[in-house]
Structure formats: structure tokens, C-alpha cells
Amino acid sequence: KKLSIADIGSESLEKTVLGETNDVFVVDNGSIYFLNSDRDRGAIGLASMSTNGDDFRILVEGSCGSINVVDGYVYYIKNPYGNNGFNSIYRVGVNGGNEELLLEEEGVFNINVYNNNIYFDREDPEYELGSISVSGENKQFYEAEGLNEFCIINDIVYTRDPDGYENVDIFSLLTQ
């Protein structure tokens, strides 16, 4: 899949292809952070570049996903063992270097950094919501039946039904 930009102020909306990715990317403070899948442009891994496509660099090699950029760090999940599914939450500075393992947890699929915590879902044995601090401490789990692919806004968790796309379940972190 191509990562492209288009100027909505132009008459033609002509796209410029910046690279290849797997649907996972975040734009923050003039940079795009994404999973590079273009082997001709470097290793497979977490990459960054400016929003005009310049300054491309690989920050971390390996299969990564669920990217969040907060307070000078890129938070992401990674599969360091090459097996099916992700099982580790990491962070790295926005300029690369100093990769830190924050949590090793079987079945982690998505993360959302919110209010100095990293919330994650896992499928073991059922879908559930967990959290740790941004420094990797204070792991806890919440009852969250049906949680899958979520985001958090104003203490509310929005998620889709893991058995289909027709229902969106909402619950508040304040009541947990």
C-alpha cells in the first residue's frame, strides 16, 4: 500500500507517493511515522520522514504496529520473536535511538497513549483492556467485554465489536 500526500488547495489533487506502508501511520509535528514496507528504501521497520517526503530514516528495524507519538516518544507494538501476533510494547525517541521495552505481554494488538498511560488490548483468553504507565509500570486490567480496535477520547473508550462491524461499544475509564 502506498503512503501518499495531496494538496487539497490545488486544482488537481495530484498525489505524491512518499513510500509504502501497511495502513499504520501517524503525522505529528511536521513528521510522518509509519511502518516502512519498501525494502528498496531501507529495512522493514518503524520509519519517519518529514511531511514533504524528505529526511527519511528507519528508527527501529522489525515488524511494528499501532503507532502513537506523544511528548517526544514514538510508542508502538513489536514482535521481536517472529511468531504470530505482537507481544511487546516499546518506545523510542522521535529521532531514533534508545529503544525501550516497556511491557512484554502475550497477544497485544493495539495501543493508545492517553493521560500518561498506555492502554492496550489483548486477546488472551478474551479481548480485554490493559494499561501501564508511559514508563512501563503499574500494569492493570479492566473488564471490557467485546473490546477490539479502540481509541480513547475524554476518558471514554470507543471500540468496535470484535465479532462484526455493526456495533460500537462505549464505556468510561472513570467507572472502572
Side-chain angles (χ1 to χ4, degrees), residues 3 13 30 40 49 67 72-73 80 86-88 98-99 137 174:
L3 180 62
L13 272 181
D40 293 334
M49 67 179 142
I67 301 166
Y73 288 100
F86 292 101
N87 53 16
S88 301
N98 299 324
E99 181 181 41
E137 301 168 350
L174 297 176

Side-chain angles (χ1 to χ4, degrees), residues 25-41:
F25 69 94
V26 172
V27 178
D28 183 73
N29 199 27
S31 293
I32 304 170
Y33 301 89
F34 63 101
L35 175 60
N36 179 58
S37 57
D38 184 353
R39 291 188 186 274
D40 293 334
R41 195 164 187 195

